[in-house]
Amino acid sequence: MTPTLDFIRVSPPKNQTPDALIVTLHGWGANAQDVASLIPHVNLPDYEFLLPNAPYPYPYADTGRAWYDLRTENMYDGLNESKQLLIDWLLSLESNTGVPLSRTILSGFSQGGAMTLDVGLSLPLAGLVVMSGYLHPSVVTLNQGNFPPTLIMHGTQDEVVPLQAAIKSRDVAQSLGVAVEYHEFAMGHEINFQMLEVLRTFVVNTIGQL
């Protein structure tokens, strides 16, 4: 376990404080480099992207990382440690970037989406984006509060995380008082360009209202 998260930083081309930060959490078995390839397609050149690597090795490939274990015999092992590590790292970003959490979007895919929903609802972030994600059991125990607006997107043919997981995430979030924008796409367990376009619109609208 590392004491902090290593990450890829993609900054605006100009030497300026970025308009906002977008943090994106990769899924189980992926890594930050996988996410970096998508950034040009989001088309937000004035934003800074921070892509952390999860702290644990992925059991099935040397290049993969994991936020916690998903194997049946070790389900959720490491989750609490990862959550605390991620929270501490997010709280350190303002001093490193000059951008406050109130202008930071936390997003994630699959396991990263589950981390986004869990950690993001406990911090004063600008917004959350959950792509092909699911709900950690602890989220349902949250008290109603002033939560960030949340975008949930999922594929109707997702063979890894069933669509029902997104519907449950939406319903639980709404029951807590979260302002949820929800979209389904005719696709599997993936991120497509249509999803990135919806993400871009959500980010621009959310940051623009601050």
Side-chain angles (χ1 to χ4, degrees):
M1 189 76 172
T2 52
T4 187
L5 296 173
D6 66 275
F7 60 95
I8 294 173
R9 185 174 191 163
V10 181
S11 300
K14 299 180 287 295
N15 187 17
Q16 63 179 41
T17 301
D19 287 352
L21 298 181
I22 299 178
V23 175
T24 303
L25 310 179
H26 64 76
W28 196 51
N31 58 43
Q33 196 63 53
D34 295 335
V35 182
S37 63
L38 297 173
I39 290 176
H41 303 289
V42 180
N43 189 27
L44 289 170
D46 295 327
Y47 288 61
E48 183 158 86
F49 289 81
L50 299 177
L51 316 172
N53 274 308
Y56 296 106
Y58 176 62
Y60 304 119
D62 291 343
T63 58
R65 306 297 298 174
W67 294 101
Y68 52 86
D69 209 331
L70 282 176
R71 291 172 292 181
T72 304
E73 66 272 21
N74 302 311
M75 186 64 75
Y76 290 122
D77 275 8
L79 172 57
N80 290 334
E81 293 82 357
S82 260
K83 280 172 57 175
Q84 192 57 57
L85 200 59
L86 182 58
I87 288 168
D88 292 345
W89 180 76
L90 288 166
L91 291 173
S92 75
L93 292 184
E94 181 173 3
S95 62
N96 292 328
T97 65
V99 180
L101 280 182
S102 60
R103 295 187 68 81
T104 299
I105 300 281
L106 180 61
S107 60
F109 175 74
S110 197
Q111 190 184 57
M115 291 292 291
T116 293
L117 201 54
D118 196 344
V119 167
L121 291 176
S122 68
L123 294 172
L125 291 152
L128 309 178
V129 179
V130 180
M131 298 172 281
S132 306
Y134 53 94
L135 203 61
H136 289 157
S138 59
V139 174
V140 298
T141 64
L142 287 173
N143 295 317
Q144 290 201 352
N146 186 23
F147 298 116
T150 299
L151 170 63
I152 295 175
M153 300 184 285
H154 215 95
T156 55
Q157 285 112 47
D158 194 322
E159 70 289 351
V160 178
V161 180
L163 179 63
Q164 190 57 40
I167 294 169
K168 182 179 180 182
S169 297
R170 177 196 66 192
D171 293 349
V172 168
Q174 288 177 334
S175 73
L176 293 169
V178 180
V180 177
E181 181 181 335
Y182 178 82
H183 295 268
E184 295 176 1
F185 300 93
M187 65 178 195
H189 194 65
E190 60 189 292
I191 298 174
N192 67 8
F193 292 140
Q194 191 180 6
M195 186 184 269
L196 293 178
E197 183 59 38
V198 173
L199 180 152
R200 182 183 186 281
T201 301
F202 173 82
V203 169
V204 170
N205 291 343
T206 299
I207 297 297
Q209 291 170 2
L210 299 177

